[in-house]
Amino acid sequence: MLPYSTAAEAEAALGRAMSYAEGAWFRYSAGMPDYYLYCHIVPMLLLVYTLSSVPLALFELGAPSIALRYKLQPRVKLSPSAFLRCYMDTMGLLLVTIAPLHLVSYPAMAGIRTGLPLPSVGETVAQLVVYLLVDDYLGYWIHRLLHAKWGYDNIHRVHHEYTAPIAFAAPYGHWSDVLILGAPSLVGPSIVPCHMTTLWLWLVIRQIEAIDTHSG
């Protein structure tokens, strides 16, 4: 929650007029507790998962003669019911895994700020690079462990039920798999704190990247 009750107070604290983005952020977040802003992550990720995946699914189902030219495994064709089943199963999985993970991980994000000024483009880009490197490093080694015999047989094999992946299957898997592989995305922001808007942007980018790499 911002410590200003009016825009004039915010501008007095800044020592300048607010930018358009800062004014919009002030109007939206001034009276909202920080935890509520953090909880925006849950509906945001569910929305991004849907909006990013549905067009790819419709493209593959509606224009197969075009889409299959670009598929890595063009001989594997899934039915509309298979796409829908994957989407519904994954949405249910996200609601019982990723949603609680983000709702309870707030204490680890103690350094995340919500106030003014908003971060500069340079600051945002630098932090995103750090988060990407941390997530990529941890994700690689965790993924390798999940492909060892015990991890694969007991956890990760569920994710590979879709041997020819589709966008909907990006977060599909065993519930523990989703939690284990989802955690690294929060490590970077916990050790290099950022503004709430940067955190939102990072998690949206990470979600879209996962959907893209699983789209086939």
Side-chain angles (χ1 to χ4, degrees), residues 159-178:
H159 178 67
H160 287 283
E161 287 178 1
Y162 289 88
T163 54
I166 55 175
F168 283 148
Y172 177 83
H174 190 278
W175 66 267
S176 60
D177 197 7
V178 177

Side-chain angles (χ1 to χ4, degrees), residues 3 10 24 42 44 56 73-74 81 96 109-110 112 115 145 184 187 200:
V42 176
M44 195 178 298
L56 292 170
Q73 296 164 279
S81 62
V96 300
M109 302 287 119
I112 300 296
L145 289 174
V187 174
W200 289 354

Side-chain angles (χ1 to χ4, degrees), residues 12-211:
L14 287 172
R16 59 171 174 79
M18 288 187 288
S19 66
Y20 177 82
E22 288 171 334
W25 178 252
F26 174 82
R27 290 188 294 273
Y28 184 75
S29 66
M32 193 175 299
D34 291 355
Y35 181 66
Y36 288 0
L37 291 170
Y38 185 75
C39 290
H40 280 47
I41 292 170
V42 176
M44 195 178 298
L45 291 181
L46 295 176
L47 186 62
V48 169
Y49 168 68
T50 299
L51 294 181
S52 299
S53 301
V54 167
L56 292 170
L58 293 177
F59 177 51
E60 188 169 341
L61 291 170
S65 60
I66 301 175
L68 292 178
R69 298 177 196 169
Y70 305 99
K71 293 287 286 187
L72 298 176
Q73 296 164 279
R75 295 181 182 178
V76 180
K77 300 177 183 178
L78 297 180
S79 65
S81 62
F83 275 86
L84 180 61
R85 183 172 63 253
C86 182
Y87 174 74
M88 297 303 294
D89 289 347
T90 304
M91 280 293 283
L93 183 68
L94 293 176
L95 286 171
V96 300
T97 55
I98 293 300
L101 172 65
H102 285 293
L103 294 179
V104 303
S105 62
Y106 180 67
M109 302 287 119
I112 300 296
R113 67 183 184 89
T114 60
L116 296 172
L118 291 178
S120 67
V121 172
E123 177 185 342
T124 301
V125 170
Q127 289 170 334
L128 290 176
V129 169
V130 171
Y131 302 162
L132 177 63
L133 292 173
V134 171
D135 180 74
D136 195 56
Y137 180 81
L138 294 176
Y140 171 79
W141 288 108
I142 292 172
H143 199 182
R144 284 199 64 159
L145 289 174
L146 287 171
H147 272 268
K149 182 172 175 52
W150 188 92
Y152 190 87
D153 290 346
N154 293 280
I155 299 174
H156 198 56
R157 64 176 177 78
V158 178
H159 178 67
H160 287 283
E161 287 178 1
Y162 289 88
T163 54
I166 55 175
F168 283 148
Y172 177 83
H174 190 278
W175 66 267
S176 60
D177 197 7
V178 177
L179 289 176
I180 292 168
L181 289 173
S185 63
L186 298 177
V187 174
S190 69
I191 60 178
V192 182
C194 61
H195 194 272
M196 187 67 75
T197 54
T198 305
L199 179 65
W200 289 354
L201 178 61
W202 158 240
L203 293 174
V204 166
I205 291 173
R206 182 65 186 85
Q207 178 87 315
I208 293 174
E209 185 271 337
I211 289 168

